[in-house]
Each structure stands twice: as structure tokens, then as C-alpha cells.
Amino acid sequence: MGVIKMERKKLSAMERLYLPEILKGMGVTIRHLVKNLFNMKQLPTIQYPEVKRVYSERFRGRHILTTREDGTTRCVACYMCSTACPAECIAIEAGEDERTREKFPVRYDIDLLRCIFCGYCVDACPEDAIYMTRDYEMAIDTRARSVVGLRDLVVPPNMPVGPMGWRPYYGSMTKVGTAGGTGAGQELRQPPFPDEAPPNPDLFRGGNAS
Amino acid sequence: MSTLTRSSSLPYTGPAPTNRLPYVPHNVEAANARAEAIAQKIGGGMLSPVPGHDAPTFAVTRESILDALRALRDDADFAFTMPLDLFGIDYPDRNERFDVVYHLLSIKNAERIRLIVRTDADTPLPSSLGVFEGFDWFEREVFDMFGVRFEGHYNLRRILCHEAFQGHALRKDYDPGKRWLLTDKDVAKLDPIITVEPEHHDFEQVTLNLGPSHPATHGTLRMAVTLDGEKIIGMDTEIGYLHRCFEKMCETHTYNQVVPFTDRLNYCSAYINNVGYAMTVEKLLGIEAPARAQHIRLILSEFSRIADHFVCIGANLVDLGALTNFWYLFQPREEILQLFENCCGARLLPSYVRIGGLPIDVPHNFLEHAQRIVDMIPKYVDDVDRLITRNRIFHERTNGVGPISAEDAIRFGFTGPCLRATGVPYDVRVANPYLGYETYDWDVPVADGGDTYARYLVRMEEIRQSVRIIRQAIKRGLPDGPVMVDDPYIALPPKERVYNEMESLIYHFKLIMHGIQPPIGETYFQVEGANGEVGFYVVSDGTKNPYRVRVRPPCFAIYQAFRHMIVGQTVPDLIAALGSLNIIAGELDH
């Protein structure tokens, strides 16, 4: 390890003339222009929303609540996720199933405007009940709609792994995360997006409709 | 159980949790001996060593603090010339409830010391501005947060909280949920202090307000400049627009929950903050992340540094009218963010550490991806170099603009590229190596002049040096092994075991509900952030929540000197110099 002194050289007469340096600079930009013109596929720009970028399998997007084979939610309302949440955006109300005496959530609200998408709820869940998806399109038009309830979060059983993002880790993931696109020349998806239909057609209906 | 990534055999048979035991730093004997040596040399009974800390620590009385600071600064052997940090800690049960902690740095010996002065809410401390001008804003912050007054401070008013704020936020008896409304009529008018004698008495002096949402501030900074003709003769700054109570929030969250908050300090290089915080708590716990995790941390930290310099140079050049470079630099930055996204699922705010390691291993193609990015970066950096470095317009806009001398930079507590641009080769990665930086072959770039052009040169070279480090790190390959320590009191058990075993479920439950409980004590750890020394000071009382977390934000020290750098120059110079300081509002305002 050493120290390098950055030299501050005075501009030479040629450089002070201004024009030669401008031409040299133009050379750089024109090289980029030509390279891009003949290599449109390599352009880093994405024509969103017509074309979408593929995010990795670990993407921390909108949450879902998974279900068992029989269609009941896996969540047992243990409050681990809401305890682990640094943003305190999860509100749960527990109820008891009269037949099985199982605990289950009567209300499960996530305020997506408070959520910081850190994935701690997924790490905290002992029941494999909350996952994050690769869904990042969460625009809403009123603040009230930012609160999503059970109805928006619960997905049917045997949900395909395709749109899944951040899931339980430490060995439980079926395969080690694969890379998504990489900027230029990245993997892109063209429309239509059949498997990207949101798990619930009433997505972001908002409110505590459950 | 074949897919487990960790080899531990539960139930855990190691030592019991360290709960409620005092923290014993690994270097406690050396620190105690050093404290004795310093106290003997400086002497006069001013410094009474407090043993048991990770750095020489002294209790000093209110009356002798100024003399002690001056003696430490002027001593040729110790040379504690840099004011590093000044903050308070509140112990409401005590008679003199506040600890005011002065952190000093000796660049010569790469050594830090701590002076602790006790005081109560009514007794003011003497202001140390006469000794260390760099404590200016730090004293205001202590006043704002704790209500400790500093006698003789020229401008002791609130700095992070607004004018309508009642009470002192970091006192333990202040309710974290309390809100205060700021209305238009409460907003103070900035009144710049005129520091240069106006030349033209025939002109009317104009006070111009810049910001808080000015396009060139790239964040929420507010400045008011008094102009004499075109010349700036006085300046005042107001910060705190992005104050998010980082330090107060830490006190109500567990150690791991603080990690996402640290993302939001310097959000251009969030990962370095993550690492700095996690390593501080690991130091407090007396553990070290596994070699694989450390290697990944190093690679990603260097990528963060590169991305931060890209943002700084790119945005600075946009302010100067050179838009093209912004595109050239943001293309490789996009790749770096993509690498982060592949590792942890988020681009800008990764939260990709936990106390004790990483939450998840990197993807299998991590090194190839990293290699592709480091092959790509030099091309774009060279393009910018060709466009800008010898360009006459850029030279004339930046040469001699916003200069600061090496002595002043040290006096104000500059660290990072802004300090190295004045010719001082101080870098935490060299002075106090961590993550194995000392085993890599790289150089510290310095420049002279301390102006905008020098800062540009240093940042450009730092990008190349970071690429050098990453290339070597890739060549060495990732060490095998886990990425998380093997201790169920710190790391969550593997998910499969949580689902299937009672013991693991209990460990999991305990860790989420009761958190990590470090030993009782306090420690400081520093990493080289993209714009200077990022330090975390963590005080633990043995419970799941930190008693106090103090972050030492490098731009805080740098931005307070901006007034001195820019007075006598023009408004266009101010824009050029501001961009080159890389003031990140998230970090500045905590």
C-alpha cells in the first residue's frame, strides 16, 4: 500500500485552444452514438411498461400469504412478523378456529406505504406463511389503498414459484438464487405477461375488506 | 437435512448467552496502558483514565476540559489534532445525568481517544470552538438533542429539529411518539454572518436563499448567501430537512432491526453503513463474521464506494453542465445495483448484513458477475476522463474553487476524499484496517490544493483503486464455509429446523422476540465510507435494544466548513464546490 500523488498538470497550449479538446470529446460521444446505433439490443434503456426487467429470485417486492393444501392460510397469527418489522407496518388480529382450535388471523394488514421491504417478516415467519414476490408495481391513488388486507395477500395453494421473490432462506430455498438481468443485454420479458397476473384480481382494493 | 447450509448440531452446547455481563474489549489491556501513558504525559491531573474501554478513555471535569483538549491537540507525540465526534448520552437516574463524549483522532498514530464530561441539564459546558472549530455543529447537535448548553458558542440554536420543536429528543424521558407541527410562521429567517468585508459599498447587499429543494443541492439542504455584487460575503446553512430520528429509533428497536435504518444514512453507498454497524455490534459481542461473509462484505463495500463516487462525480458534472458523463457513469452503476439485487433483492437499500454475517449466501454466479462489472467500469471511467480531465471549461470552473487547506480540513474534522484532496493520506482502510484490507495491494490517492478539481481527481483515482481491490478479491475467490456465525443466540436457525424441531423453533422465537442481548458496555468502530469515516458508537445495557447508538456521519463535519470554503467566491462556484463535497442529506441529517 502506498500513496499516489495525483498530478495537477497545467493545460498545454493545445488544450488551452479549446477546440481540439472539444473534438476529442466529440469523438468519445460519437463513438458511443455509433456503437449504440448498430447495437440497439445492447442499449441499457428499457421500454417500460411495454418491456419489463426480470428481477432476481430474491427480489423483495409485494408480500403474499401462502395457503395449505386445503386452502386455509398457513399463518397462525403468532405476531413474529409484526414483532420483527422495523417499520411496524404489520397489524394482526388473531382468532380461533372453533372446530380445530387452531389460531388464525382474523385481520392481517400491511401498510405498504410504511413498509420498507427489508424482508424481515419473511425471515421471522416460523410457518412458511409469508413470502415476498417480484411484484414491484404498487402504485396507488389514495393513501387508504396502501393498506392491504387478507383478501389482497392470501394466494391460492400451489402457487407457481415463477413470480416469487424473497423466501425463507438458510437451506430451505429449492435452489440458490439465479441472477436476473444484468443491465445491458439483459434478460427482458416481452408482453403479454400471462403468469404475472396478480394472485388476486382484487389486488389493492384497499381497506380491511377481510 | 442434507440441504442445510450450517453444520451446527442443535441443541446448542456452547456458552450461555452473555446477557448482563460486562463487555470486555479484546484490546482492553493495551487501551488501559495507553490511557495511563497519556494521562502521565499530559498530566496535571486533568485526565483520569477510565479503564475497561476499547480506546483510551478519560473522565474530565467541566473546568478542565478545554485545557485537556488543548493539551492533547498540541502534544507533539500524541497529536490528537482532529475533532472526530462529540455527542451525548443520557443516564436519567444519575445526579449529573449527561455524559458528553469527545472523540479525538490522531492521524499521526491512527489512534482515537475519548474524553467524557459529566454534566446536568442546568450547568453549561465551556464551548470548545476555541480549540477545535470542527465541534461547531456537534455542540449544536448536543444542545438540540439533550439540552446541554455550551457557553461561548457563537450560534447555539437547534440544528436537526425544527424551531417549533419542544423538548430534547434524545433524552430518555422524551416520548419517541411525540410530534410537533411546524407552521410557516415558525420558520426562521436565515441571517448569514458576514465574514468578508464588502468591497463595493455602492452596491446593495442581496441575501439569496438557495434550497431546500434546489436542483443543485441534490437533497434537501438550505443555504442563504449574502452577496456583494457577485461575491459571497456571508453564508448560513440550515439542515435537518431529512431528519428521521435515526438515533432515537435505534433505542426502540432490536440490534438487527437497526440494519435497515443504517441503509438510509448514506443511501448512495448504503452497504458500507450496513457493514460498519454490523461490525460495531459484532465487536461488542466479541464475535467475528465468518471468512466468507467478510470477503463478500469487502467486495460489495468496494462496489458501493465506486457507485457512490459515480453519483458524486456524475451529479457534480451535471451541475456544471456536462450531462453526458452522468450517463456514462450511471451505466456501470446500474450493473452494480443489479449485483446487489441479485444478492439480496434490493438495489439501493440492500440491508444485506445481519449481526454475525450475512442473511443469505451470494448467488452461484456472484464472482463472474462481479468480474464482468470490474471489466466494464474502467472503460466508462476512461471515457469520462477523456471528456473532462483536460477540458478547459472544467478546469476553469473547478480550479481553486472551494479550496481548503490541509490544516483547516483537519481542524474541521474532514475525512475521506475531501481530506485526501488536501494532501493528507489518511484512510481508515490503511490506518485501522478491517475486513483484511491490509492484505490487498492498492494505493491511497492524494492531491494538493483541496479544491473542487483535486476532489475530482482523488475520486476518479479511488474508483480505479477500488477496482484493483475487487480484482484481487475475485482472484482469491470466495472462501468456503458458512456466511453466518454458528451461535443460536445471534443467528436465526436454518428454516427447515425451525419447521421441524422444537429447540430450533424456540431459538428462533427467542431471537425474534427478545433479540440479541450483547454484554453491557460501549464500543466504537469505524469504517471508511465513501465520503469519510463512518463510525458507530453503541452503548448496550444488556437488553435487546441498544441503549444508545451514535453514528458519526462524515458529511456533517464536512458541511459545517462549507461556509469557510465558499465565502469570497461566487454562486456558480458554490454550486460546483457543493457537488464535489458529496453531501448526502440522509447522512447529514441522520
Side-chain angles (χ1 to χ4, degrees), chain A residues 24-113:
Chain A
K24 215 170 101 189
M26 289 298 278
V28 174
T29 45
I30 287 170
R31 181 165 55 76
H32 274 266
L33 174 75
V34 172
K35 201 179 91 195
N36 290 339
L37 267 184
F38 292 100
N39 219 346
M40 295 288 248
K41 282 227 167 99
Q42 291 294 315
L43 281 181
T45 318
I46 299 171
Q47 299 298 324
Y48 181 82
E50 284 79 22
V51 180
K52 287 180 185 177
R53 163 180 264 174
V54 177
Y55 284 101
S56 78
E57 259 194 58
R58 299 176 179 191
F59 189 73
R60 305 202 299 251
R62 202 185 65 93
H63 320 67
I64 53 166
L65 290 176
T66 57
T67 42
R68 302 193 187 92
E69 298 284 310
D70 61 358
T72 54
T73 51
R74 278 182 182 276
C75 176
V76 294
C78 68
Y79 297 92
M80 297 274 264
C81 48
S82 62
T83 309
C85 179
E88 287 143 40
C89 70
I90 304 179
I92 307 172
E93 210 175 281
E96 197 182 65
D97 190 313
E98 288 186 357
R99 193 173 49 80
T100 58
R101 317 301 289 174
E102 282 266 341
K103 216 174 154 200
F104 75 100
V106 180
R107 195 171 70 106
Y108 191 106
D109 290 344
I110 299 181
D111 187 342
L112 291 179
L113 281 183

Side-chain angles (χ1 to χ4, degrees), chain B residues 295-345:
Chain B
H295 204 76
I296 296 166
R297 282 178 181 185
L298 177 130
I299 294 176
L300 289 179
S301 290
E302 288 311 304
F303 272 126
S304 283
R305 190 182 320 281
I306 294 172
D308 190 291
H309 288 347
F310 281 165
V311 176
C312 176
I313 295 173
N316 193 6
L317 289 171
V318 170
D319 294 344
L320 298 178
L323 187 66
T324 319
N325 308 281
F326 185 76
W327 309 131
Y328 292 172
L329 292 177
F330 266 49
Q331 208 161 322
R333 176 176 180 267
E334 188 65 24
E335 292 282 335
I336 294 173
L337 298 184
Q338 187 74 48
L339 180 72
F340 273 104
E341 200 263 311
N342 285 341
C343 291
C344 68

Side-chain angles (χ1 to χ4, degrees), chain A residues 1-2 4 6 8 10 15-16 18 31-32 56 58 60 83-84 86 88 120 122-124 169 181-182, chain B residues 253 256-257 335 338 343-345 354 359 361 372 383 390 392-393 399 443-444 446 448 451 495 508:
Chain A
M1 266 175 281
I4 356 173
M6 302 306 296
R8 301 169 65 112
K10 280 241 156 64
E15 283 161 340
R16 290 203 72 78
Y18 185 67
R31 181 165 55 76
H32 274 266
S56 78
R58 299 176 179 191
R60 305 202 299 251
T83 309
E88 287 143 40
Y120 277 34
V122 179
D123 300 355
Y169 55 90
T182 57
Chain B
H253 288 77
N256 260 325
Q257 280 179 327
E335 292 282 335
Q338 187 74 48
C343 291
C344 68
R354 296 291 184 269
D361 205 353
R372 201 158 64 235
D383 276 352
R390 310 296 296 159
R392 187 174 161 190
I393 302 178
N399 258 328
D443 299 314
V444 180
V446 296
D448 54 4
D451 58 357
K495 267 284 158 81
H508 183 87

Side-chain angles (χ1 to χ4, degrees), chain B residues 149-170:
Chain B
R149 280 176 302 117
F150 290 88
E151 228 163 25
H153 192 292
Y154 70 101
N155 186 19
L156 194 67
R157 57 191 172 95
R158 288 190 180 275
I159 186 163
L160 294 175
C161 298
H162 55 71
E163 293 86 357
F165 196 92
Q166 303 287 316
H168 299 284
L170 280 178

Side-chain angles (χ1 to χ4, degrees), chain B residues 137-207:
Chain B
W137 282 12
F138 291 92
E139 288 188 354
R140 280 176 66 187
E141 193 192 346
V142 174
F143 166 71
D144 187 0
M145 293 296 159
F146 294 93
V148 174
R149 280 176 302 117
F150 290 88
E151 228 163 25
H153 192 292
Y154 70 101
N155 186 19
L156 194 67
R157 57 191 172 95
R158 288 190 180 275
I159 186 163
L160 294 175
C161 298
H162 55 71
E163 293 86 357
F165 196 92
Q166 303 287 316
H168 299 284
L170 280 178
R171 286 190 182 181
K172 285 284 171 186
D173 47 15
Y174 186 86
D175 171 21
K178 220 164 189 172
R179 302 285 183 275
W180 297 98
L181 183 70
L182 179 74
T183 53
D184 271 355
K185 64 178 192 307
D186 300 322
V187 177
K189 197 165 166 281
L190 290 186
D191 190 17
I193 301 164
I194 309 246
T195 41
V196 178
E197 195 54 37
E199 285 169 22
H200 314 281
H201 288 282
D202 44 341
F203 276 129
E204 193 187 347
Q205 290 173 11
V206 183
T207 298

Side-chain angles (χ1 to χ4, degrees), chain B residues 494-563:
Chain B
K495 267 284 158 81
E496 285 189 352
R497 295 199 156 179
V498 174
Y499 299 152
N500 300 318
E501 283 177 19
M502 199 62 207
E503 292 88 353
S504 299
L505 183 63
I506 293 169
Y507 281 129
H508 183 87
F509 193 85
K510 282 285 285 179
L511 203 53
I512 300 286
M513 290 294 176
H514 298 161
I516 297 169
Q517 302 181 352
I520 299 167
E522 46 206 69
T523 192
Y524 179 83
F525 189 77
Q526 68 289 323
V527 293
E528 178 73 19
N531 47 11
E533 172 171 333
V534 183
F536 288 91
Y537 190 80
V538 178
V539 183
S540 156
D541 59 353
T543 60
K544 64 172 182 171
N545 299 335
Y547 188 80
R548 173 97 166 89
V549 174
R550 162 69 186 172
V551 57
R552 192 250 169 212
C555 356
F556 198 71
I558 292 171
Y559 194 44
Q560 66 181 349
F562 191 47
R563 188 155 59 89

